[in-house]
Each structure stands twice: as C-alpha cells, then as structure tokens.
Amino acid sequence: MVTSLRSFEQECSSAKDANYQVDRCIDEMTEAIDKHDVDKLCTMWESWNARVFHSLDAEGIKQAQNYEASAYRLFLVQCVQRKNIAKCNEFFRRMSSLTLNNPQWTDWFSFPYNHHAKDTEPFRKYFDKTWIEIYYVSLHNFLSTSLATVSPSVIGTIVEGIARDPLAGDHVDFDEDLIDDFAVIAQCSAPVKRGHSKPSLRNLLKSLTSSKKPSGSTD
Amino acid sequence: MIEEDFEWNESKLHLLSNILPKWANDHPQNHLRIGKIQLEAAIKWLKNDSDDIELAEEFERLLNISFDPLMDYEEHQRVKEESLTPKKTSLNWISNWKNIAEKLSISYIDTTSNLVEFRQIRILPNVAPVLLIAHTTHDNVIVIYGKQRNPKEEIDLQTVLRHSYSNIPDGSLQTVHFMTKNLLDLYSQLFSRQIAPEFKTKYIRCLPSLWLQYDIFGSILDKIEKTNRLELLEVSLDEATANWVKRKWDNYQYLCYLNKITGRVRGEVNNHPIFPWVCDFTSENSGFRPLNRTKYRLCKGDDQLREMFSREPSHHVPELLSDIGYMVYRARVEPKENLCRHVRRKWVPEEYPSTMSRMYQWSPDECIPEFYDDPSIFKSRHPDMSDLRFPEFVSSPNEFIEWHRKMLENEEVSINLHRWIDLVFGFYLSVEDSKNALNLHLCFVEKHRRGLRTNGMVQLFYRPHPSRIPLNYNPKLDSYHLQMESFGYGMNVGMNVEKEEENETDENSHFQIFQKIKKVRRLRHKIYFSSMISLMEVMAQIVLAPHLAGRFDDPDHIRQCIRLYTYRIPVNYRKLFDFLLNPKQDFPDCDEFAFFVSIRLNIPTTISSFSEEFAKCVSLHLLRKMDVIPPFSSRSQLILLKEVESLKKSICLCNHMELCVVAAFQQLLEDEEASIQSVHRLMPVITRSLSQSALEDLINPMIELIQCETSVKLLDRRFLMHVSICYGTRTFLDLFLPPIVEACASMNCDRSVVAKESIMWLAKRYGPVISAKFISSNLLRIMASCYEGFELSGLEKEPKSVFGTVLQGDETCSRIESLLSEIVLTYSVTFITVQFLPFCVDLIEQFHKRPSIQLEPGLVSVFRIVELSIRSMSDHQLMNYLEEFIIQKVIYRVLTILLDISFQFSSIRVRNIIICKVCQLLYSITQKIGTENTRIYASQPFKLIFSTFSEIYETNEELRINIRKRSEENTLFEVPLWMVEDVVDKFAKEWGVPFLSSFCDDPAFLIPFVSNTSSLSPTASISMAHSPPSSFTAYSLGNMSSGNRLFSLSASSPINSVSSLGGLSLCDSGSLSAVWCARVSAAVCGVDNYRFDHLSLCNFTGHQERIRKLAAISNENSFVSASSDKTVKLWSIKPELDEIGCQWTYQNHTRSVHDVTILADNSIASTDGVLHVWDPFRTTLLAQMEWDSKEGNGGNIMRIENVDRHILSAICSFHSTVKLFDSRVGGWTCELKVSPGPGLTRALTVRDNGNKMAVALSNGTLAILDARNGKINALAQTNSTHTVSVNWLTDSRLLVCDADECGMFLETNPRAHIVRKLQDPVNAAFLTENSLVTLQNGSMLRVYRNGGELQIETKIRPDELPGTPTAILPLPLNCSYLIGSSHGAIRLMC
C-alpha cells in the first residue's frame, strides 16, 4: 500500500513534465530494438499511430510513416549486424500488413541476405551513426510536437464541459474588433491611464495566481 | 442531430398537385418546373416484372419495426423458423409510400384518391432533402427533391473517390475521419428514425466541403425499375484485362471498358472517353502511329515537354483530351454556341479542320470513340460549315467507320496497345514512373484548385500492362502464360470461397448453444446488420479509393482490396475492417454502432465537435437553398444570419479541416444573397483562426467581391481594417487598395462616397509616404476614368456653350478632387509640386507624342488637377509654378494640341468639349491671379487663342463673321463660331475690351464679337475693381468666392468645394516638416530606396537605458521597444510632430527586457527572463511563463521569435532546447531538442512559417530544423561560440553574428561553409524583403541586398543619435529606419 502510493507519487511527479514521457517512450523503443523485441516495437508504434498520430495533418502523417519505417529498418539493421536473421523473418511475418504490396518496402525483403548492404544505396544511411543520432533527436521532437497537438479524449472533453462554468462566456469572443494602431491607446485620456492600468494588471496577476474566481470588474 | 423546422407554403403544394399528372404523362425528365424554380424529380413506374421480394426488402429497410435488443423465447423460435422458409409478402405499394412520407415528415400527394398532405420540412444534415412524395396513378411514384442540383456543388461520391489523389490526398487522415464521422452521423440520423438502408457510394453526394449526403430513396427507385445498364461493369478489371489479353474481347470493347471504369462518360466535355489515334489518314496503308508515346508528345516533341517540366507546376502533359479538342472533333454535330464557348469566341467555320488527315495533324489530343463508331459525326449541321471530309480511299462515312474500326483492331495495334494503356490508364501515370516517360500529367501536380476534382486522369494499373497474346500464338513455344499468371491477371479470385466448416462435434457444448442464439439474434436484425456492414464498406471504399480501380459497391472487391493494400489503411481502421473480413465476430448492437465505431477509430474530438458544428451550417444552407423560402426575404436573411453564425463557430473549431470551411466560405462568397453579409461578419474570425495558405486561397474571391458595384458595405473602414490586419500591409496595398481607389470613381454614388471616406482614412492611417506612393498616385490615374465617353450632364448631346459645359463625370470627379486636396491639406503642398503637376505635364507630353483615345479623358482630368492645385497652393507657391508649369507646360501645350488639326481626336465633339474645359480652366486661373498677373505671366495662351480665332474667322463690312479661306498647309482646327463668341464675350465682360485687346495682335478682330453683347462696361468695371493688379499680394480669401464661382458651377456638390475652400486659409499649413516633405518627394520620384541621408524624422523620447529590441506592426505606424530600463514602450509615429512621447508603458517586468515581438493578433510577447504575453489594447496580461515550472533553476528566456501566426519559439540561457508557445493554448506546447550533442542555445531565427528554424549553440553547432515538427535537417559546425544572433538571408544562407568576431554569411547547402566575412562584428540585424540591415561595431550602418551586395555603408554620428546605436528596425514601405541607442533614444531616420 505504502509502496504503491509512493510509486504513484513518483510517477505523478515525473509525469508532470511531458518531456520525460517522450524520453521514456524513446528509451523503451531503443531498448526494444537492442533486445530484438519485434513484438514490443511493433505494438509501440501501433499504439502511437492509434492514439497520438491519429490527429495529425497530412504532412504529419507522412512524417510519422517515415519515422515508423525508419524505426523498423534500424531494427532490421541491428538484427543483421548481430547476425540474428530469425528475428528479421519474424519481423516480416509480424508486419506483413505493412510491407505487403508496399512499394517502399520492396527493396527490403532482400536486405537480410544482402552482405554488402552497408554500402548499397537504400540501406546505407541506416548504418550511419550521425544519421541515427539525428533520427532520434528528430523523433523525440516529433513525438513531443504530436503530443502537444493530440486532441483531447472524449471523456476529457466531457469532463471539461461539465467543469466549465456554464455562466462564463464561451472562450474568446471573436466579435471583438481587431486593432492595430497604438495611437488609439492614448485616446483614453493620457494622465489617468497610468494610475489606472497598474492596479488592474496587478489584480489580474493576483487572480491568475490565486485562482480565485475572476470577478467581472476587470476593465 | 440538428433539425430545422419551417413551413413551406401549402399553396405551392397544391400547385404541384395540379401540374404533376400532366408532367408524369408527358415526358418525365428528371426536373420539374414550378414558376421560376426547377425542382429535381424522379418518377418510377411499378412494372409487372419488378422483383417483389427485393422491393419488399427495400420497403422494410425504410419502414422498419423498432429495434429491440431483447427478445423472448417465442420470438427466438419464430425468427428461427422464418429464416428457414423465405416469406412471401404482398406489396402494399401505396400505403407503404404513405407510411414512409409520414415517418419522414415529407409532404405527400396522391392524386388517385385526391389526398394532399402538407408537412413541415425536416432537414437531416446528412440526408439529401426531399420535398414531396406523390402518386399520379396506382403504380407509380414521384419523388421530388429540392432545387435542381448544381453539378458543381453536389458531386457523386464515386467521382470524388475516383479522383481521390487530389480530393483526399494520401495521408489526409483528418479528411477520412471527417467523412467517416459524416457516415456515422448519417447512420444515427437514420437509425433514430428506424431506417436502415444498405449504404452504397452511388447514392451518396458530396458537397465541395466534403460533406456527405445520402439519397435514401435512391436504392428503392433503382430497384423499382431494374436497369441493366451496369452490365459491362459486372466484369472485374482483372477479368477484363484477361479477356482482352486472351483475345476474347476486341480492342474497341476493352477500351470502352477502361473508359467506363475511369468514369468517362460520352458527352461530358471534360470527361469524354479517350481512344487512341492509330493512323494518319494520308492513305489507306500509311502505317500506324507509334503507341508508346502520347499524341501530345508526338505533336509537341520531347524538347517542349521537358521545357514544360522545368516550369511551375512541373508537368509534361496538360491533358489528353481538351475541351477544345473535343469540340473541334465534333464541330459538325455540336451547336454553334458550344463551339464558340470552348474553341473561339468568334465564329470562323473555316478554322475547323476540314479533312480527317488535317484533323489528325492539327490535334495534340487523342481521339474520341465517335470516329470508330459514329458515322453521323461527318455530317455538318451548320449551313456555313462544310461536312468533314473522309479520306479518298473510302466512299462514305459508314465505310470510313468500318475501315477505321478495322485499323483499330489491326494486329499492329493489338500488339502495341498495352503501351498506350500504360500511358493513359496505367503505371506511367504514377508520379515517380511518369517522369522518365515524359508523361507527368498536370492533374496530379496541380495545387490550390477550386473545389473538388471531377475530371482528370485515373490510374488503374500499378504495374506495366500485359501485352496481348499474338494472333498466331502457340503456347508450347512460349512462356507467356506463365508471365500472365505470375502477375495475377486472369486468375479467378472469387472461386476459392472458404468452405463452411460446420464441425458440430458437441451439440451440448454451452459455447455452441450460445453461438446459435447469437446467430438467430443476428438473423432477426439482419436488416440492421447488413446496414452496418454496408456502412463499413463505404468507409473502406473511402480509405482505399485509389486501389478500387473504378469498381465501387462490390463487396468482394472491397474485401480483396482490404487484404491486398492493408498498408494503406490507418491502424485504427484496420481493426474495424476486420469485421468485414470476418463477419462472424461479435458485432456491436446496432444502437451502439455509431458510438462503437467512433471510439474504435479514435476519431479525434476536434473533428467530431467540428463536424457537429458544421452540420448546423450545412443544414441551414440547405434550408436557404431549397427554394422553399423566397430569396432576399427577411426570413431568408434570418436563416442566413444563423448560417453565418454557425460557420463562424465552425471556423473557430476547424483545426485540420480548414479545407472544409474554406469551401463553405467560398460558396457563400459566390452567393449573391449571402456574400456581403458573410464576408463582413466572418472577417475577424478568419483573421484570427485561419492559416496563411487558407487565407491566400481566399484573396481572389474577396477582391472580386470588392470590385462588385453593389458591395458598398465592404468599402467600409471597419472591414478594410480587418483585411489589412489579416493580409498584412504590403498585400493590402498591392491587391486590395486599387479596387478601393477605383470604387471612388464609381458612378454609384453610395459606393463612391463610402470609398472616398475609407481612402481618406487609409491615407491618414498609413502616413504621407505610403499615401504618396500608393494612394494619391492611383487617385490621379483613376480620375480620367470619370470622363470616359464624355457624357454631358442633362439631355444635351453636343456642347452648347463654353462655360456651361458640364460633364457627367464632374460630380464623381469632384469627390476624387476633394480627396486629393484633403491629402494635400493633411500633409503638404509637396504632393502638388512633386506629384500632381508633374503627373499632368507627363500626361500631356504623352498625348503630344502619341494621341490616343485612352488618354483623351485624361486631359480633362488634368484640368481638374491643375485647378485643384491652384486652389490648394499658397499665392507664393502658385507664383513659383504658374508660368513655367501651369501656363506653359499645361495650358499652352494643350491648346497647341487642340488647335492643331494634325493631332487626331476620336471625334470633333470630344475636341470641342476639351476646348471648353480648357477655357474654363483658363478663366478660373485668371480669376485667381488677377488681371495684371494674367497680363504678365499668362498672356501666351490668350495670344494663341485670339490669333487662331482671327485666322479662322474674318469680318466683312456688314460685321458678318465668315470663315476665312485658308491655305492647304494651314492645320488650324476650325473652332466653331459659338465657341469663339462665348470666349470673347466672357473675357470682354470680365476685363473690358481695351484690356482684352492687349492680348491681341489684331484687336480689330474682337469688335464684332464684343458688339454683339449687350452692356459690357459695367461688369467689366466691377471685375476690374475686384482685381486691381496691385493688390495681388493681398489677394486671398475675400476674392476667392468670385474666383471660385466657376468651380461651384461645375462641381454640382457645393459642399465639397466649400470644404476645399475652407482649406485654403490653411494654405501653407501642410503640417509636415521639411524633412518629411523631402521623404515624400523622394518616394514619389522613385529615388531608389537604398539610401541613407542622415535625416532625423522623429525623435521618440522616454527610455532611460539601452534599447534592446524594436518591433513594428506591419502598417508601420506603430511600434514597440524593449529596453534595459525594465520597460516595454508602445509608440505611434506621427509625422506632424518632431518629438514624440510614448503611448503607453508596460511596467510588469522586473529585470531588463531582452526581447520583444508582436503576434498575429497584435498582442505582444516580451521577455526579461520570464515570458510575458499581453494585449496592449486592453492592457491585459494573457500569459506569464517561466522556462521551467520549478522555481529557481529555470534560467533566463533570452530570445523569442515568431514561428507562424500563432506560435512563438523561445530559448533560454541554461538550456539546449527550444520551447514553443502557442498563443491559442496560452502556454508551452512542447520542447524541441536541437542537437544530439551538448551545448547551450545562444540565438535562433525562423523563416517561412516555421519551415526553417536555425539555432546557434554555444559549442559552435548550428542546427537547422523544422520548427513545426522538430525534424532536424542539418547540423553545421561554426567557430562562433558566442553567437548573439542569426538571421536567414535566403532559403539556405544565414548571417551569423558573434559577440567578438566579425559577422559572417554562412551557406548551408549542400555543406555548411562560410561565404563571406563582414568588416565588423554585427550588433543588430534585420531582414526585410530583399535587403539585410545591420548595425556593426563603430556605429556603422550597413545594408546588403540580394544576399550580399553592399548597398549602404555609413556611420551614424553621435550628434545624430546620442550614444551608440544598438537596435535597428527598417520600415520598408516608408523607406526609413528606426534606430535605438545605448542611451535610450529612438530616432526615425532616413
């Protein structure tokens, strides 16, 4: 009981920073590659595709597909380098849905049996250490930007909808006119302005920090 | 879901019931006229051979019993037995329809029993609305939909899917989500009404916004009259290919088939079937055309194709069968209007090729099937066009067709046809493979197309097409069959149906028992069940559209595609489609189906909430467009308001579905009734929510709308303000301003008045320099357009008197005139001297060089400009410009042109009018300057006039005036007599004859004219008294009224002239300082902008310490400054003041402010280590962010930079990452790693909406990444470890500024290398459109252009700016620079 509470607290504190999460995801992924764990790797990507990348735009989807393909290819490279052809075959079996009829993968069926793969064109870059480094940094960034744009879950929006004060206005009122001229600012009587604006800003800061319900007297 | 109730009037229904029987009996087309409106209608007759059982099923789908998930044992048994014996039902035709109408609340007419039932319309957003169901006899049914459907607005889903490469491009998962959500909504909308149709793509229509609508009666109507028209498509593509290869089908049949499944339909101009040309018709056996190249390539040659590829958008072939080609081929049978519309507006029958061989030579297009099967194409229907001639070796069209068809089936063609198929339907269409084959079609690369694609190429084969088996083929000699089989062609796929293995081993297994129960349950709900399955099939077809190869609604084919192309299906959808592959799985109950699917697919909540909001918009739009409410009625306006309101909400929510709202918005823009309302109301929200590219798509329709005569409301300044903020000042001035200026010259009074107000507001808003460059220069030009046609006001056609000639354009022109004079009064007379008068002189000079009709109205406008200039200048200024400019270069010059017959005018009338106008001008000048000055400075034109007059006319003894005989060479224009009389009379009255005669070489000439007039002396003496020559200097306001009499005569709105008169007293007030005037004149004269004159325009005082950063709003009249004195100040540039205090100070910072920037909605972000985002206009703090939530170890946020309209990037002193801040979220959204190695961030810069971000690190690494998704594109090593800033120069070139070392240009492509080092370390730099402005050590200002060329190099002296310059901000539109110094001073310099 105590330990579970502690671990829960620990997780909470680490979960606070989204960054950690992304790092942990990539940790897991690299671990799966190192340990030749086809299943884990594929499941990870499947769940990312299903839960994170599902709300990306067309360009993002293409990027995600590229990162995914690269991850599998890095896995294959790792297997071949460790002379674990069985795992390669296991991968192709497991991921037939991805590779079947897919023009991007046609070259790769022969990869495990190609002894000069390191110097042949479509494979070469996956052996390059800097490329791999950059890949992981980019993947990290990609995951973190995607997580930022992921759309809230259904239950989340429902809860939020309940939590929101029904009396408070809908988000921002777009009927407000846009202004782009500082000259109008002075028009609201110059001498009064300074004494007036300061406290109101301070009030606002206070209300932001102490999360008291905002009064309607901010003008 | 959303429903809109309203009444559509009952009388219309009765009207319909009266006309229906006649319509049904006559010739039922698919539309029906009622008044002005065309309604879409379908009529079907119940025949004896109709399949009763199928119909009954369809009725059951529409008239379902309520769904009940529970069932008791009896029911269970009943269903079980029923399933064994197929039930026979009798069809209750009429009552069934009646029930349906009742259930769906559709009005119902049965003329057989005189039943007319009126019902309110209910609109289901995803169901095509139906107005009425009717019977005129016992065995028919008429379904009337709303208005005749617009083929552009409602597109067949099949067509959309066929061209999915452009409509739903690969990877646009959000679009798929959106369409799926639509389908699910459709399902629930129908389910809640107990309708469970079998969904088919052919009954679904798609709006341009990709909104789907289902035609619920489509399937039953089709079933009533069984049509066998789809016979050909019953064959699958593989089978057809095999048939052709094995010579079961001939070439013609196979080509027909291919055309059909690519959706090509005979008679559709842009989508007509394509056949190959096979020979050139010169002789019977002239050989065959090569089939391995398109006709286009054969015609144009490879070089031209490569040349086209090098241009944007790069492609080889625009289209294979153009509308022009189609029309020319069918020239003999198409109506004349069609030919003129598509080929050439002018009807020249001889232009159309007259023989087949000419046709072949002329055309870059492929052939059409008519030439293989339709002899009637030769016979001309036009009396003036000869028949198309067939080659000589055949004797009749029939014979030609027969011969030509034989050619098509020739062995030579047969063995090469597969190559042509590769090019037209096959794998050479794919973007990668087409490049080598010079076969990249425009339709695959075209971007930013309006609306959905409905025509273009469709790729059917993804591998090279197999060739045909040779005629005398011996299978034993060849391995050909093997090859065929290995590609999978000709294999019968559907044969190996899995055998149902009914291994009922254990009857008592509880598992088995339960399985059986489930089976019965499913049987009972089999209608719902098949409805669910069909819905999933539609989804699968959307996902797999490119692989369907034109074969829709075929369950087996869909399943096969799912198996074969799994990799194209997004993960979530794969799981769903498993149900299709394996229907034995446990299905969700039908009432939970929609929810189940949306959860399983994980459709993002953003999409579903958007689609819910958008549904409202669509249904309101439907309601408005159904033609059940009269357009422009108050009711329709009300609905429109609601529609716009819901579109507004949708725009706020749109996220990735921008395409959808943009399509809806464009639809509104084109709608006469809605356009202005909607654009006016939606502008603010568009500004805030849409992305740059979506905004650009909207520019053209918006400008078109502004150009409309009726769009007065859009010229209002509130709207224009939003547009200018939205698109930025540069675009606004370039694209939107010209139509507004044009609107000032509009004949529509309201429009021109509103435009005038707005232009004045814009002139004040943008300041003198921009006004001169963009506004007044255009106003001068547009003035001429007022006088086009030289229409006189009143009823007169010809001018009658010189001083009473008033043109229709005068009133409009006076508005422009008053605008110009108002600009002059607001700013400075410099406008007149450097812009107006030179413009006039220039125009006259142009006319002198080359008289043209276009310039004639310009002459009249010149007189107006001169007149207004005279009024607006002070006496002193006037005297400076009077003689040389006004008298010599304008009036005298014009008179010489006018009075010389060798200069051509369009008509004598126009020449007369212009002479009248110039005389009017001359008169008003003399009024202003007085007689004495006229004699001294302005005598020349008078001398010219009078000498001309005297040369043309002579007086005989009886004081009769006659035309004098002149020599041939004399080119004087014969000025009409009334004109001469008028002019002499007028001036004689003013000045008296004696004074007037001093202008005359031959004073005697005047006498007859003068004596014709009565009492001349009194008036003359009065005017003499008014303008004594000596009083010139004192001559001002008092006499103005008389001097302006003429003006108030001609300008019919006296208020204007008074207001400009009032300005006269402020004559030389033009409130600008001399320096500003110099700026204006430099701007007007087009002196190149790359200069620095060390002039200080304005002084901004208030900061105490070093200025760190300056940032301006794009309109360049307001800017912010960040300083070490812990404040951010807001400033407004006011040209009339030399010294300006700040408008407002932001004081919430506690440390010195490092950086400041302005966001797209004009809120401001500033950092003193902590990021503050605040709204300057409402003085509210929007967000306050520290780098790290944990107190203490956060570090200072040093630099912030805009990524796109909403996102801000920031770097921090102790970290090696970049954080992104989204103003819509109001907080950090993510953190980007920049490089694998260690190193702290020092500086960053972003370009192209975040496409390229460069970050400099303390270890000398420079990382270039995509700021939107963090993809690292390059890492470069530099030696600079104390980088203070980086700036993009071009796509691949950077300026890297180091604290201690000289700045350098770094080229990043392909490998990073230093291109050039600058002389000094750079302190501040700013890139405008194409010039880089830098402040370098030693107070040096250096400006580089075109990525390196030094343009300006100068030292800013301490007496110009106290302290050393530390921050610079160029204002490119104003050609000036804001420079901040270490002492807190800011100067606007140029």
Side-chain angles (χ1 to χ4, degrees), chain B residues 851-1110:
Chain B
S852 75
I853 298 173
Q854 283 80 26
L855 284 179
E856 281 168 7
L859 291 179
V860 184
S861 75
V862 160
F863 306 148
R864 296 296 294 255
I865 297 168
V866 170
E867 201 172 312
L868 107 99
S869 306
I870 293 169
R871 271 185 286 114
S872 308
M873 280 197 275
S874 71
D875 297 337
H876 180 69
Q877 285 157 339
L878 178 60
M879 291 317 289
N880 283 344
Y881 285 88
L882 181 69
E883 193 170 9
E884 195 196 343
F885 267 88
I886 297 173
I887 299 298
Q888 285 287 334
K889 289 190 174 165
V890 178
I891 297 182
Y892 186 71
R893 198 56 185 259
V894 167
L895 279 172
T896 53
I897 295 173
L898 284 168
L899 297 177
D900 188 343
I901 201 111
S902 60
F903 288 96
Q904 293 280 322
F905 278 80
S906 53
S907 70
I908 292 182
R909 176 176 165 273
V910 168
R911 191 189 283 255
N912 283 342
I913 290 174
I914 299 177
I915 294 176
C916 292
K917 283 288 176 187
V918 76
C919 292
Q920 289 175 9
L921 173 68
L922 198 58
Y923 178 72
S924 66
I925 291 176
T926 56
Q927 289 285 297
K928 163 102 185 184
I929 60 177
T931 37
E932 187 53 29
N933 284 306
T934 309
R935 196 174 55 75
I936 302 171
Y937 300 109
S939 61
Q940 213 175 359
F942 285 101
K943 283 186 177 146
L944 178 68
I945 292 177
F946 293 133
S947 73
T948 313
F949 288 173
S950 61
E951 236 176 288
I952 297 172
Y953 295 103
E954 59 185 359
T955 324
N956 62 10
E957 291 75 34
E958 298 107 55
L959 290 182
R960 273 277 163 80
I961 300 161
N962 291 321
I963 293 179
R964 195 191 289 252
K965 292 242 164 18
R966 284 178 294 150
S967 59
E968 289 286 309
E969 303 92 71
N970 195 323
T971 58
L972 281 181
F973 169 68
E974 264 177 34
V975 183
L977 186 59
W978 57 267
M979 236 182 225
V980 179
E981 283 172 344
D982 262 15
V983 171
V984 175
D985 182 47
K986 187 81 172 183
F987 285 103
K989 270 188 190 163
E990 270 315 298
W991 294 331
V993 183
F995 187 71
L996 198 63
S997 55
S998 67
F999 294 117
C1000 243
D1001 296 334
D1002 177 18
F1005 155 78
L1006 291 174
I1007 293 162
F1009 295 97
V1010 176
S1011 56
N1012 285 349
T1013 64
S1014 54
S1015 62
L1016 71 114
S1017 38
T1019 29
S1021 62
I1022 290 169
S1023 59
M1024 286 297 273
H1026 261 282
S1027 47
S1030 56
S1031 71
F1032 179 73
T1033 41
Y1035 188 97
S1036 93
L1037 261 184
N1039 292 20
M1040 271 313 132
S1041 54
S1042 84
N1044 245 43
R1045 193 182 299 140
L1046 178 73
F1047 175 64
S1048 42
L1049 239 176
S1050 64
S1052 50
S1053 83
I1055 305 125
N1056 283 333
S1057 50
V1058 169
S1059 75
S1060 44
L1061 257 183
L1064 274 173
S1065 55
L1066 305 163
C1067 234
D1068 34 62
S1069 76
S1071 46
L1072 289 189
S1073 66
V1075 192
W1076 274 100
C1077 291
R1079 274 324 289 159
V1080 171
S1081 69
V1084 169
C1085 300
V1087 176
D1088 73 294
N1089 303 334
Y1090 307 99
R1091 54 186 277 175
F1092 191 77
D1093 300 328
H1094 296 272
L1095 297 174
S1096 171
L1097 293 169
C1098 276
N1099 207 349
F1100 301 89
T1101 51
H1103 275 305
Q1104 308 301 322
E1105 283 172 55
R1106 178 190 172 94
I1107 307 293
R1108 304 294 284 261
K1109 183 76 187 279
L1110 296 164

Side-chain angles (χ1 to χ4, degrees), chain B residues 27-77:
Chain B
H27 42 81
Q29 303 139 325
N30 53 2
H31 56 87
L32 171 70
R33 269 195 167 280
I34 166 169
K36 281 184 194 159
I37 302 160
Q38 273 208 344
L39 296 171
E40 188 181 341
I43 179 165
K44 296 286 167 183
W45 300 84
L46 188 63
K47 300 244 172 69
N48 290 333
D49 60 342
S50 304
D51 189 341
D52 280 1
I53 298 176
E54 273 198 10
L55 272 185
E57 253 174 41
E58 283 293 335
F59 275 123
E60 203 179 331
R61 292 200 172 102
L62 291 169
L63 285 168
N64 224 315
I65 34 137
S66 69
F67 169 76
D68 175 14
L70 303 172
M71 61 202 258
D72 53 20
Y73 186 70
E74 274 169 40
E75 172 111 33
H76 182 98
Q77 291 302 328

Side-chain angles (χ1 to χ4, degrees), chain A residues 19 23 46 49-51 54-59 61-63 67 97-98 100-103 133-134 137-138 140-142 144-145 148 151-154 157 174-183 185-186 193-194 197-198 201 204-205, chain B residues 170-171 173-174 177 564 566-567 571-572 574 602 604-606 648 652 656 684 687-688 721-722 725 765 1113 1115 1117-1120 1130-1132 1143-1144 1147-1148 1162 1176-1179 1181 1184 1229-1233 1236 1268-1272:
Chain A
N19 212 19
D23 278 345
E46 249 161 50
N49 275 330
R51 307 218 178 108
H54 74 110
S55 44
L56 289 179
D57 57 1
E59 206 179 321
I61 297 275
K62 275 187 193 153
Q63 294 255 358
Y67 283 119
S97 63
L98 175 77
L100 186 71
N101 280 325
N102 190 341
E133 277 177 358
I134 289 178
V137 174
S138 299
H140 171 279
N141 290 342
F142 183 69
S144 103
T145 49
S151 87
S153 65
V154 180
T157 38
F174 282 112
D175 269 341
E176 274 180 42
D177 278 335
L178 293 159
I179 319 170
D180 69 340
D181 192 345
F182 292 152
I185 293 175
K193 166 205 70 186
R194 194 165 286 185
S197 70
K198 241 170 152 183
L201 269 172
L204 230 137
L205 278 173
Chain B
D170 194 15
L173 183 57
Q174 302 310 317
H177 278 320
L564 284 179
T566 325
Y567 78 96
V571 172
N572 303 358
R574 268 179 225 170
N602 202 356
T605 41
T606 47
K648 188 197 259 179
C652 298
H656 292 306
T687 310
R688 286 182 204 249
M721 163 102 106
H722 283 136
I725 294 175
R765 168 182 158 94
I1113 293 182
N1115 61 21
N1117 70 15
S1118 303
F1119 69 98
V1120 289
L1130 310 182
W1131 311 84
S1132 176
Q1143 296 287 341
W1144 192 67
Q1147 294 180 318
N1148 281 26
N1162 289 330
F1177 299 103
R1178 295 165 192 85
T1179 58
L1181 185 67
Q1184 186 175 11
T1229 51
C1230 66
E1231 186 169 355
L1232 301 176
K1233 282 190 183 177
R1268 295 162 305 173
N1269 54 33
K1271 184 170 190 291
I1272 294 183

Side-chain angles (χ1 to χ4, degrees), chain B residues 241-376:
Chain B
T241 308
N243 282 342
W244 176 74
V245 167
K246 291 176 180 162
R247 291 184 170 267
K248 282 184 198 160
W249 281 8
D250 56 22
N251 292 343
Y252 173 81
Q253 197 179 2
Y254 186 49
L255 287 171
C256 283
Y257 174 84
L258 291 179
N259 273 301
K260 196 151 216 163
I261 61 171
T262 47
R264 296 186 170 271
V265 182
R266 287 207 185 194
E268 283 185 15
V269 183
N270 293 312
N271 215 14
H272 192 77
I274 297 181
F275 268 58
W277 291 108
V278 292
C279 51
D280 62 7
F281 309 103
T282 48
S283 73
E284 196 168 354
N285 298 307
S286 56
F288 291 90
R289 158 256 166 122
L291 283 165
N292 59 353
R293 277 164 282 169
T294 52
K295 179 73 172 58
Y296 190 81
R297 188 174 166 191
L298 290 171
C299 188
K300 304 282 179 184
D302 289 7
D303 289 342
Q304 191 178 333
L305 263 59
R306 289 205 185 88
E307 159 67 22
M308 297 237 292
F309 187 72
S310 61
R311 278 183 255 154
E312 269 307 307
S314 53
H315 64 281
H316 297 113
V317 185
E319 53 199 332
L320 282 181
L321 180 59
S322 60
D323 54 339
I324 299 180
Y326 171 85
M327 283 297 166
V328 171
Y329 291 158
R330 292 174 52 88
R332 271 76 196 173
V333 287
E334 285 290 330
K336 202 161 152 185
E337 310 87 72
N338 284 355
L339 294 172
C340 290
R341 188 177 334 133
H342 290 278
V343 184
R344 191 182 157 190
R345 200 156 303 154
K346 201 170 159 224
W347 172 246
V348 188
E350 297 75 34
E351 275 180 352
Y352 295 84
S354 60
T355 65
M356 279 312 290
S357 62
R358 185 109 23 103
M359 184 89 88
Y360 176 80
Q361 278 163 10
W362 166 84
S363 174
D365 292 350
E366 290 293 350
C367 190
I368 51 172
E370 278 87 334
F371 287 119
Y372 295 99
D373 60 12
D374 185 8
S376 67

Side-chain angles (χ1 to χ4, degrees), chain B residues 6 30 75 88 237 353 362 366 384 491 509 582 621 645 748 773 784 816 886 913 1004 1127 1140 1231 1252 1268 1312:
Chain B
F6 86 107
N30 53 2
E75 172 111 33
K88 271 271 175 211
L237 177 62
W362 166 84
E366 290 293 350
D384 49 353
M491 301 217 293
S509 150
N582 179 13
H621 185 78
E645 197 58 35
N748 179 338
K773 274 206 290 194
I816 298 178
I886 297 173
I913 290 174
T1127 60
I1140 296 171
E1231 186 169 355
K1252 290 197 155 175
R1268 295 162 305 173

